Amino acid sequence: MERGWLHGKGFLLCLILYLLLQGRGDTFTINCSGFDQHGVDPAAFQAVFDRKAFPPVTNNNNPTHVNISFTLSAILEVDAQLQLLTSFLWINLMWDNPFIRWNPEECVNINKLTVSAENLWLPDIFIVESMDVDRAPPELAAYVTSEGRIKYNRPLRVTSICNLDIFYFPFDQQNCTFTFTSFLYTVDSMLLGMDKEVWEITDTSRNIIQTQGEWELVGINKATPKMMVGSSVYDQIVFYVAIRRRPRLYVINLLVPSGFLVAIDALSFYLPAESENRAPFKITLLLGYNVFLLMMNDLLPANGTPLISVYFALCLSLMVLSLLETIFITYLLHLATTQPPPMPQWLHFLLLHCTSPRKCCPTAPQKGNKGLGLTPAHLPGLKEPVELVQKVPGPQEAELNDCPGSTRGQQEDEAQKQHLVSLWVQFSHMMDTLLFRLYLLFMATSIITVIVLWNT
């Protein structure tokens, strides 16, 4: 009786030692008795579930290899003021658990199972640039194969830091980074690898991206630097995500109306300079342009100085300069028709130089105006100097009409006055021409710049 009891006790001790030695082996074979056509008994994986607090390695000197990939399914927001990128990712993790093995032929041909992720050991992979808490939905599941390979996929809304350069807005391209690394395990315990090639990640993201808004995906690259924290070395994978803004909205709502207003302001040079219509017309355009900038201010970035802001400032400066030039010319013509002042010698020389043939003004001199190649008819609106003088007859002209026998000196004074009027009219005409050509140069440069930036 006593011998039988000792024999049974020895059998139980041998059984326990066998199970312990089996658990410390390279693999842990799942008992297929819990597999049937209706499902799997969770008790068959209970030994694996009990080890979820420890990395799945049979030798602590061998690190766990975790393969990473992701799919960018949406670009939700790019905040230039806070330098943040909000996106939606599907993160894919894959690793091997040597303690999970079963024979599919003995387990009713089951090759893959779905196991609750909370019952398995999960790598603590996180994104370094993330500035928000993990908002992944709870109670996710992982796929476990008969060879012990675990695939764990989870959706994640990521708000990450991104160094945004908005100088070329709205033709800008931003480069943001997603750095995947482990928070706890160093390279001695965990090594990171790629589950897919980078071109596969890029093509998949382009095909399934769901947002057709302001941004589009250009490409994805990667690098695998090591991260040193004190004496510890962590493995990491850095993905460089290039995104580009779709500029059509801003071209239609910002650049096209601004270009139209500048073009109309340039055409206003064809209005007569001596009339009273040009200055009010330019003032109306200037006020309208300021109202346009105030209405479209919400479309511009809140911080920084993009190139488009420089363009708007130049447009506004040209319109103000054009208005000041119109006021000056109006005053100059009024003064020239009443009491023309003498023209300085340097200004006279500059006028002769600019109005000579094959210089900055291409018109040839007329017979009655030798040495002054710029004709009043070059830009419509400027009348002949004689007409300007006839509008306001001077006292000498009235005296000549009443007294036919006037002295020759009075006639010379009148001729000198008409010559001065002609010089000042030519000077005002030259200013109009130069400013008009400056408008044309600015508009041509702006159009070429937009075309180049849009196609690069």
Side-chain angles (χ1 to χ4, degrees), residues 60-89:
N60 290 330
N61 294 325
N62 296 329
T64 302
H65 292 264
V66 179
N67 293 330
I68 299 174
S69 67
F70 72 94
T71 301
L72 179 62
S73 60
I75 302 172
L76 303 178
E77 183 183 3
V78 178
D79 193 332
Q81 184 175 6
L82 299 178
Q83 300 283 293
L84 294 177
L85 167 67
T86 303
S87 56
F88 194 83
L89 306 179

mmCIF file of all heavy atoms in Angstrom, residues 60-89:
data_model
loop_
_atom_site.group_PDB
_atom_site.id
_atom_site.type_symbol
_atom_site.label_atom_id
_atom_site.label_comp_id
_atom_site.label_asym_id
_atom_site.label_seq_id
_atom_site.Cartn_x
_atom_site.Cartn_y
_atom_site.Cartn_z
ATOM 1 N N ASN A 60 17.705 34.771 -23.615
ATOM 2 C CA ASN A 60 17.701 36.215 -23.389
ATOM 3 C C ASN A 60 18.797 36.942 -24.141
ATOM 4 O O ASN A 60 18.768 38.171 -24.248
ATOM 5 C CB ASN A 60 17.836 36.500 -21.888
ATOM 6 C CG ASN A 60 16.600 36.107 -21.115
ATOM 7 O OD1 ASN A 60 15.489 36.152 -21.644
ATOM 8 N ND2 ASN A 60 16.780 35.712 -19.853
ATOM 9 N N ASN A 61 19.771 36.228 -24.652
ATOM 10 C CA ASN A 61 20.821 36.861 -25.447
ATOM 11 C C ASN A 61 20.397 37.101 -26.893
ATOM 12 O O ASN A 61 21.106 37.785 -27.627
ATOM 13 C CB ASN A 61 22.089 35.997 -25.418
ATOM 14 C CG ASN A 61 22.699 35.921 -24.029
ATOM 15 O OD1 ASN A 61 22.653 36.901 -23.280
ATOM 16 N ND2 ASN A 61 23.264 34.770 -23.677
ATOM 17 N N ASN A 62 19.273 36.547 -27.293
ATOM 18 C CA ASN A 62 18.778 36.728 -28.662
ATOM 19 C C ASN A 62 17.669 37.780 -28.658
ATOM 20 O O ASN A 62 16.655 37.616 -27.975
ATOM 21 C CB ASN A 62 18.232 35.408 -29.221
ATOM 22 C CG ASN A 62 19.320 34.366 -29.341
ATOM 23 O OD1 ASN A 62 20.481 34.684 -29.579
ATOM 24 N ND2 ASN A 62 18.936 33.102 -29.183
ATOM 25 N N PRO A 63 17.836 38.875 -29.393
ATOM 26 C CA PRO A 63 16.792 39.915 -29.412
ATOM 27 C C PRO A 63 15.579 39.473 -30.230
ATOM 28 O O PRO A 63 15.665 38.609 -31.104
ATOM 29 C CB PRO A 63 17.491 41.111 -30.061
ATOM 30 C CG PRO A 63 18.540 40.500 -30.927
ATOM 31 C CD PRO A 63 19.000 39.264 -30.223
ATOM 32 N N THR A 64 14.469 40.084 -29.932
ATOM 33 C CA THR A 64 13.235 39.850 -30.677
ATOM 34 C C THR A 64 13.242 40.726 -31.926
ATOM 35 O O THR A 64 13.471 41.939 -31.850
ATOM 36 C CB THR A 64 12.011 40.181 -29.821
ATOM 37 O OG1 THR A 64 12.046 39.379 -28.632
ATOM 38 C CG2 THR A 64 10.727 39.909 -30.575
ATOM 39 N N HIS A 65 12.975 40.124 -33.075
ATOM 40 C CA HIS A 65 12.929 40.857 -34.340
ATOM 41 C C HIS A 65 11.483 41.258 -34.634
ATOM 42 O O HIS A 65 10.602 40.390 -34.748
ATOM 43 C CB HIS A 65 13.481 40.006 -35.476
ATOM 44 C CG HIS A 65 14.948 39.744 -35.360
ATOM 45 N ND1 HIS A 65 15.892 40.502 -36.009
ATOM 46 C CD2 HIS A 65 15.641 38.806 -34.657
ATOM 47 C CE1 HIS A 65 17.104 40.053 -35.718
ATOM 48 N NE2 HIS A 65 16.981 39.018 -34.902
ATOM 49 N N VAL A 66 11.251 42.561 -34.727
ATOM 50 C CA VAL A 66 9.919 43.104 -34.997
ATOM 51 C C VAL A 66 9.972 43.836 -36.332
ATOM 52 O O VAL A 66 10.780 44.761 -36.515
ATOM 53 C CB VAL A 66 9.456 44.054 -33.874
ATOM 54 C CG1 VAL A 66 8.076 44.624 -34.191
ATOM 55 C CG2 VAL A 66 9.448 43.338 -32.530
ATOM 56 N N ASN A 67 9.134 43.422 -37.267
ATOM 57 C CA ASN A 67 9.046 44.073 -38.574
ATOM 58 C C ASN A 67 7.906 45.084 -38.569
ATOM 59 O O ASN A 67 6.810 44.792 -38.065
ATOM 60 C CB ASN A 67 8.825 43.041 -39.679
ATOM 61 C CG ASN A 67 10.042 42.141 -39.847
ATOM 62 O OD1 ASN A 67 11.166 42.552 -39.598
ATOM 63 N ND2 ASN A 67 9.804 40.902 -40.255
ATOM 64 N N ILE A 68 8.167 46.252 -39.163
ATOM 65 C CA ILE A 68 7.226 47.369 -39.112
ATOM 66 C C ILE A 68 6.893 47.817 -40.528
ATOM 67 O O ILE A 68 7.760 47.848 -41.404
ATOM 68 C CB ILE A 68 7.826 48.556 -38.323
ATOM 69 C CG1 ILE A 68 8.138 48.141 -36.885
ATOM 70 C CG2 ILE A 68 6.876 49.751 -38.326
ATOM 71 C CD1 ILE A 68 8.853 49.228 -36.109
ATOM 72 N N SER A 69 5.662 48.174 -40.728
ATOM 73 C CA SER A 69 5.220 48.889 -41.929
ATOM 74 C C SER A 69 3.967 49.674 -41.555
ATOM 75 O O SER A 69 3.368 49.446 -40.496
ATOM 76 C CB SER A 69 4.941 47.935 -43.099
ATOM 77 O OG SER A 69 3.830 47.117 -42.815
ATOM 78 N N PHE A 70 3.586 50.577 -42.407
ATOM 79 C CA PHE A 70 2.371 51.361 -42.146
ATOM 80 C C PHE A 70 1.769 51.781 -43.472
ATOM 81 O O PHE A 70 2.407 51.726 -44.533
ATOM 82 C CB PHE A 70 2.687 52.596 -41.281
ATOM 83 C CG PHE A 70 3.437 53.683 -41.995
ATOM 84 C CD1 PHE A 70 2.763 54.746 -42.592
ATOM 85 C CD2 PHE A 70 4.822 53.647 -42.074
ATOM 86 C CE1 PHE A 70 3.456 55.738 -43.249
ATOM 87 C CE2 PHE A 70 5.521 54.638 -42.731
ATOM 88 C CZ PHE A 70 4.837 55.688 -43.317
ATOM 89 N N THR A 71 0.535 52.208 -43.390
ATOM 90 C CA THR A 71 -0.195 52.730 -44.548
ATOM 91 C C THR A 71 -0.787 54.076 -44.175
ATOM 92 O O THR A 71 -1.518 54.185 -43.186
ATOM 93 C CB THR A 71 -1.319 51.770 -44.987
ATOM 94 O OG1 THR A 71 -0.743 50.500 -45.310
ATOM 95 C CG2 THR A 71 -2.043 52.321 -46.201
ATOM 96 N N LEU A 72 -0.439 55.099 -44.936
ATOM 97 C CA LEU A 72 -0.997 56.438 -44.711
ATOM 98 C C LEU A 72 -2.330 56.522 -45.457
ATOM 99 O O LEU A 72 -2.366 56.616 -46.683
ATOM 100 C CB LEU A 72 -0.022 57.500 -45.216
ATOM 101 C CG LEU A 72 -0.450 58.959 -45.081
ATOM 102 C CD1 LEU A 72 -0.637 59.346 -43.626
ATOM 103 C CD2 LEU A 72 0.577 59.880 -45.734
ATOM 104 N N SER A 73 -3.410 56.481 -44.707
ATOM 105 C CA SER A 73 -4.735 56.450 -45.332
ATOM 106 C C SER A 73 -5.407 57.810 -45.406
ATOM 107 O O SER A 73 -6.395 57.961 -46.126
ATOM 108 C CB SER A 73 -5.652 55.473 -44.577
ATOM 109 O OG SER A 73 -5.798 55.884 -43.225
ATOM 110 N N ALA A 74 -4.912 58.813 -44.683
ATOM 111 C CA ALA A 74 -5.549 60.135 -44.735
ATOM 112 C C ALA A 74 -4.593 61.184 -44.190
ATOM 113 O O ALA A 74 -3.865 60.931 -43.218
ATOM 114 C CB ALA A 74 -6.852 60.156 -43.941
ATOM 115 N N ILE A 75 -4.589 62.348 -44.834
ATOM 116 C CA ILE A 75 -3.900 63.538 -44.331
ATOM 117 C C ILE A 75 -4.994 64.490 -43.876
ATOM 118 O O ILE A 75 -5.678 65.117 -44.689
ATOM 119 C CB ILE A 75 -3.009 64.181 -45.401
ATOM 120 C CG1 ILE A 75 -1.973 63.177 -45.902
ATOM 121 C CG2 ILE A 75 -2.315 65.419 -44.856
ATOM 122 C CD1 ILE A 75 -1.179 63.669 -47.091
ATOM 123 N N LEU A 76 -5.182 64.583 -42.575
ATOM 124 C CA LEU A 76 -6.332 65.289 -42.043
ATOM 125 C C LEU A 76 -6.116 66.790 -41.929
ATOM 126 O O LEU A 76 -6.986 67.577 -42.289
ATOM 127 C CB LEU A 76 -6.701 64.708 -40.671
ATOM 128 C CG LEU A 76 -6.998 63.198 -40.644
ATOM 129 C CD1 LEU A 76 -7.299 62.733 -39.230
ATOM 130 C CD2 LEU A 76 -8.161 62.873 -41.576
ATOM 131 N N GLU A 77 -4.951 67.199 -41.445
ATOM 132 C CA GLU A 77 -4.735 68.636 -41.209
ATOM 133 C C GLU A 77 -3.246 68.920 -41.149
ATOM 134 O O GLU A 77 -2.465 68.112 -40.647
ATOM 135 C CB GLU A 77 -5.410 69.073 -39.905
ATOM 136 C CG GLU A 77 -5.309 70.560 -39.611
ATOM 137 C CD GLU A 77 -5.932 70.933 -38.280
ATOM 138 O OE1 GLU A 77 -6.390 70.024 -37.558
ATOM 139 O OE2 GLU A 77 -5.953 72.126 -37.961
ATOM 140 N N VAL A 78 -2.876 70.085 -41.672
ATOM 141 C CA VAL A 78 -1.510 70.593 -41.557
ATOM 142 C C VAL A 78 -1.602 71.989 -40.959
ATOM 143 O O VAL A 78 -2.110 72.911 -41.591
ATOM 144 C CB VAL A 78 -0.787 70.628 -42.913
ATOM 145 C CG1 VAL A 78 0.610 71.211 -42.760
ATOM 146 C CG2 VAL A 78 -0.706 69.238 -43.517
ATOM 147 N N ASP A 79 -1.161 72.119 -39.716
ATOM 148 C CA ASP A 79 -1.239 73.387 -38.986
ATOM 149 C C ASP A 79 0.119 74.080 -39.079
ATOM 150 O O ASP A 79 1.077 73.698 -38.393
ATOM 151 C CB ASP A 79 -1.610 73.127 -37.520
ATOM 152 C CG ASP A 79 -2.016 74.403 -36.796
ATOM 153 O OD1 ASP A 79 -1.534 75.485 -37.186
ATOM 154 O OD2 ASP A 79 -2.822 74.328 -35.847
ATOM 155 N N ALA A 80 0.201 75.091 -39.943
ATOM 156 C CA ALA A 80 1.474 75.796 -40.132
ATOM 157 C C ALA A 80 1.834 76.644 -38.931
ATOM 158 O O ALA A 80 3.020 76.858 -38.655
ATOM 159 C CB ALA A 80 1.402 76.669 -41.384
ATOM 160 N N GLN A 81 0.849 77.129 -38.194
ATOM 161 C CA GLN A 81 1.136 77.972 -37.040
ATOM 162 C C GLN A 81 1.718 77.160 -35.890
ATOM 163 O O GLN A 81 2.692 77.566 -35.257
ATOM 164 C CB GLN A 81 -0.128 78.689 -36.583
ATOM 165 C CG GLN A 81 0.103 79.666 -35.434
ATOM 166 C CD GLN A 81 -1.140 80.446 -35.085
ATOM 167 O OE1 GLN A 81 -2.212 80.198 -35.622
ATOM 168 N NE2 GLN A 81 -1.020 81.398 -34.178
ATOM 169 N N LEU A 82 1.155 75.984 -35.609
ATOM 170 C CA LEU A 82 1.645 75.124 -34.540
ATOM 171 C C LEU A 82 2.675 74.119 -35.019
ATOM 172 O O LEU A 82 3.212 73.365 -34.204
ATOM 173 C CB LEU A 82 0.470 74.383 -33.884
ATOM 174 C CG LEU A 82 -0.603 75.263 -33.236
ATOM 175 C CD1 LEU A 82 -1.718 74.404 -32.668
ATOM 176 C CD2 LEU A 82 0.002 76.135 -32.142
ATOM 177 N N GLN A 83 2.943 74.067 -36.328
ATOM 178 C CA GLN A 83 3.910 73.129 -36.907
ATOM 179 C C GLN A 83 3.531 71.683 -36.593
ATOM 180 O O GLN A 83 4.344 70.894 -36.094
ATOM 181 C CB GLN A 83 5.316 73.431 -36.390
ATOM 182 C CG GLN A 83 5.820 74.829 -36.724
ATOM 183 C CD GLN A 83 6.286 74.963 -38.161
ATOM 184 O OE1 GLN A 83 7.264 74.368 -38.567
ATOM 185 N NE2 GLN A 83 5.567 75.754 -38.935
ATOM 186 N N LEU A 84 2.272 71.332 -36.867
ATOM 187 C CA LEU A 84 1.749 70.002 -36.565
ATOM 188 C C LEU A 84 1.128 69.389 -37.814
ATOM 189 O O LEU A 84 0.496 70.084 -38.621
ATOM 190 C CB LEU A 84 0.706 70.061 -35.444
ATOM 191 C CG LEU A 84 1.189 70.474 -34.046
ATOM 192 C CD1 LEU A 84 0.023 70.555 -33.089
ATOM 193 C CD2 LEU A 84 2.261 69.524 -33.535
ATOM 194 N N LEU A 85 1.295 68.079 -37.947
ATOM 195 C CA LEU A 85 0.668 67.291 -39.005
ATOM 196 C C LEU A 85 -0.242 66.265 -38.358
ATOM 197 O O LEU A 85 0.186 65.491 -37.495
ATOM 198 C CB LEU A 85 1.727 66.594 -39.853
ATOM 199 C CG LEU A 85 1.226 65.497 -40.797
ATOM 200 C CD1 LEU A 85 0.365 66.091 -41.904
ATOM 201 C CD2 LEU A 85 2.390 64.712 -41.391
ATOM 202 N N THR A 86 -1.498 66.261 -38.761
ATOM 203 C CA THR A 86 -2.469 65.291 -38.266
ATOM 204 C C THR A 86 -2.799 64.327 -39.394
ATOM 205 O O THR A 86 -3.273 64.745 -40.454
ATOM 206 C CB THR A 86 -3.741 65.982 -37.768
ATOM 207 O OG1 THR A 86 -3.393 66.931 -36.744
ATOM 208 C CG2 THR A 86 -4.709 64.972 -37.175
ATOM 209 N N SER A 87 -2.539 63.047 -39.164
ATOM 210 C CA SER A 87 -2.747 62.026 -40.191
ATOM 211 C C SER A 87 -3.351 60.782 -39.560
ATOM 212 O O SER A 87 -3.414 60.641 -38.328
ATOM 213 C CB SER A 87 -1.428 61.684 -40.893
ATOM 214 O OG SER A 87 -0.457 61.274 -39.940
ATOM 215 N N PHE A 88 -3.798 59.879 -40.424
ATOM 216 C CA PHE A 88 -4.387 58.617 -39.975
ATOM 217 C C PHE A 88 -3.575 57.479 -40.581
ATOM 218 O O PHE A 88 -3.424 57.399 -41.803
ATOM 219 C CB PHE A 88 -5.850 58.522 -40.411
ATOM 220 C CG PHE A 88 -6.605 57.418 -39.715
ATOM 221 C CD1 PHE A 88 -7.139 57.603 -38.460
ATOM 222 C CD2 PHE A 88 -6.758 56.179 -40.322
ATOM 223 C CE1 PHE A 88 -7.831 56.595 -37.816
ATOM 224 C CE2 PHE A 88 -7.440 55.157 -39.689
ATOM 225 C CZ PHE A 88 -7.978 55.363 -38.437
ATOM 226 N N LEU A 89 -3.046 56.616 -39.710
ATOM 227 C CA LEU A 89 -2.159 55.541 -40.124
ATOM 228 C C LEU A 89 -2.748 54.186 -39.753
ATOM 229 O O LEU A 89 -3.457 54.060 -38.751
ATOM 230 C CB LEU A 89 -0.773 55.677 -39.462
ATOM 231 C CG LEU A 89 -0.017 56.987 -39.619
ATOM 232 C CD1 LEU A 89 1.294 56.906 -38.867
ATOM 233 C CD2 LEU A 89 0.217 57.302 -41.082
#
